[in-house]
Amino acid sequence: MASENVYVEHCKGVNGLDKVILREIRGCSAEVYLDGGQVTSWKNEFREQLLFLSSKATFKPPNAIRGGIQICFPQFGTIGSLEQHGFARNRLWSVDRDPPPFPANTSHRAFVDLILRHSEEEVKIWPHRYECRLRVALGPGGDLMLTSRIRNTNTDGKSFTFTFAYHTYFSVTDISEVRVEGLETLDYLDNLKNRERFTEQGDALTFESEVSVDKVYLSTPTKIAILDHERKRTFVLRKDGLPDAVVWNPWDKKAKAMADFGDDEYKHMLCVTAACVEKPIILKPGEEWKGRLEISAVPSSYCSGQLDPRRIFRSN
């Protein structure tokens, strides 16, 4: 039991809220709040923060925490009848004492299993019963892995439809020095232009136009890279069951309009969100959907301005 406590610690966080700290021997760590089932911190072995958390974030349930990784279910964005990004990020999750079996992996000792089930109050606004399970794991090398399993537990024979996203806020040095690779030439829906469909131009996505960005990229590859040129760091996203990717930065005007977001903090964050948005998932009673996100932070390797694929897109 003592050895397990090295890897997983249940404790109190901001405002006395329950949280779980995951640690690995090399010094990597992650923090998960039960409110929202939300990862709020991910640090490498040098104790450098890799996720963005606003200095004005409020830890006051049921408000979502601004930053980290928000679980968006059963709705992402405002397309639908529910509040923006659904209710999962506003609910209190429980530690799952009896999770379903995962593929055997003895190297992952720093993990926690959470579960969210329907409430009778919630059924009034979304008339379905479900189980939403989340495993957050920290690999020995510092990789952060999130696996979600959603099951339809309706007893009335009805299917339900939902969208889902891991709304991830990455910490970057300077947004104007960041590029995203893996989305070039893809179609996207521009949320700032009534979801009109466009095709991405250019070799990589950059952020120098000084306007807010809110795009849903469709049929994206399983691997996407975010290059922080100034810090010489690259985030690599690997995803399964999540065909879309949402790229968002509010820029200055929208940043100033958000009470829980610093006026200039847009310069130091970028959301690249693994999602299933364009084609909602349909589950019949008893059926289960699974989605997975793995993110790693590696030193950037440039060759004529391009990534060295042997280093960044190495096989697992």
Side-chain angles (χ1 to χ4, degrees):
M1 183 66 71
S3 63
E4 287 185 10
N5 290 339
V6 172
Y7 302 101
V8 183
E9 178 188 356
H10 296 259
C11 57
K12 298 291 184 181
V14 179
N15 292 338
L17 301 179
D18 290 319
K19 73 174 180 179
V20 180
I21 302 176
L22 306 177
R23 295 187 181 91
E24 264 298 341
I25 294 299
R26 288 173 55 188
C28 311
S29 68
E31 296 186 7
V32 189
Y33 275 76
L34 269 56
D35 281 278
Q38 185 167 339
V39 178
T40 57
S41 172
W42 172 42
K43 294 180 180 180
N44 60 17
E45 65 268 32
F46 305 111
R47 311 313 200 258
E48 294 172 327
Q49 182 59 258
L50 303 174
L51 295 177
F52 168 83
L53 184 70
S54 174
S55 63
K56 293 190 174 183
T58 59
F59 289 75
K60 297 179 180 178
N63 297 323
I65 302 166
R66 176 69 69 184
I69 304 177
Q70 298 177 353
I71 305 298
C72 300
F73 166 83
Q75 175 183 303
F76 179 77
T78 56
I79 305 301
S81 60
L82 301 174
E83 61 192 301
Q84 182 172 355
H85 296 329
F87 46 70
R89 66 178 189 156
N90 307 112
R91 288 274 312 277
L92 178 63
W93 294 55
S94 303
V95 175
D96 190 357
R97 304 295 180 185
D98 187 27
F102 277 72
N105 192 335
T106 55
S107 65
H108 293 168
R109 287 178 280 190
F111 65 88
V112 64
D113 289 291
L114 303 180
I115 188 167
L116 180 68
R117 293 186 174 95
H118 65 274
S119 67
E120 293 308 315
E121 194 67 27
E122 195 177 84
V123 168
K124 296 175 184 176
I125 60 170
W126 198 65
H128 301 291
R129 287 164 167 75
Y130 64 88
E131 289 181 347
C132 184
R133 285 186 159 90
L134 170 68
R135 170 171 286 196
V136 181
L138 191 65
D143 294 359
L144 184 64
M145 290 148 283
L146 289 83
T147 306
S148 290
R149 299 182 181 201
I150 297 172
R151 179 177 293 275
N152 182 338
T153 58
N154 277 336
T155 56
D156 57 7
K158 291 183 179 178
S159 300
F160 64 64
T161 302
F162 66 94
T163 53
F164 182 93
Y166 291 120
H167 192 22
T168 307
Y169 290 69
F170 289 95
S171 175
V172 298
T173 313
D174 180 351
I175 186 63
S176 66
E177 295 290 332
V178 171
R179 56 192 278 152
V180 179
E181 297 196 351
L183 304 178
E184 51 275 9
T185 75
L186 297 182
D187 285 358
Y188 66 87
L189 306 177
D190 194 331
N191 285 329
L192 302 180
K193 297 181 180 179
N194 297 316
R195 291 173 63 83
E196 190 176 343
R197 191 172 183 132
F198 298 91
T199 300
E200 187 61 57
Q201 308 295 326
D203 295 332
L205 189 61
T206 57
F207 308 90
E208 300 166 343
S209 57
E210 298 193 1
V211 293
S212 58
V213 177
D214 191 354
K215 299 177 179 179
V216 181
Y217 289 85
L218 311 173
S219 302
T220 60
T222 57
K223 296 179 183 179
I224 299 170
I226 305 167
L227 287 75
D228 185 340
H229 182 55
E230 193 167 317
R231 194 168 281 158
K232 295 183 172 56
R233 173 187 294 149
T234 298
F235 294 107
V236 182
L237 289 72
R238 299 176 176 86
K239 56 191 181 64
D240 294 304
L242 300 161
D244 306 319
V246 185
V247 177
W248 179 72
N249 183 292
W251 222 258
D252 57 346
K253 290 183 181 179
K254 290 194 175 182
K256 291 175 182 176
M258 292 187 285
D260 61 349
F261 196 97
D263 289 355
D264 293 322
E265 288 184 330
Y266 71 92
K267 298 176 182 177
H268 309 297
M269 56 75 64
L270 177 66
C271 285
V272 178
T273 295
C276 186
V277 179
E278 186 196 20
K279 297 177 182 177
I281 301 146
I282 302 173
L283 286 183
K284 297 176 182 177
E287 287 185 339
E288 183 180 82
W289 169 85
K290 181 180 177 181
R292 183 175 181 272
L293 171 67
E294 178 180 347
I295 49 179
S296 54
V298 298
S300 294
S301 176
Y302 281 88
C303 180
S304 301
Q306 297 297 312
L307 281 173
D308 179 349
R310 291 169 298 178
R311 289 196 61 186
I312 301 306
F313 294 122
R314 65 191 186 279
S315 58
N316 289 326

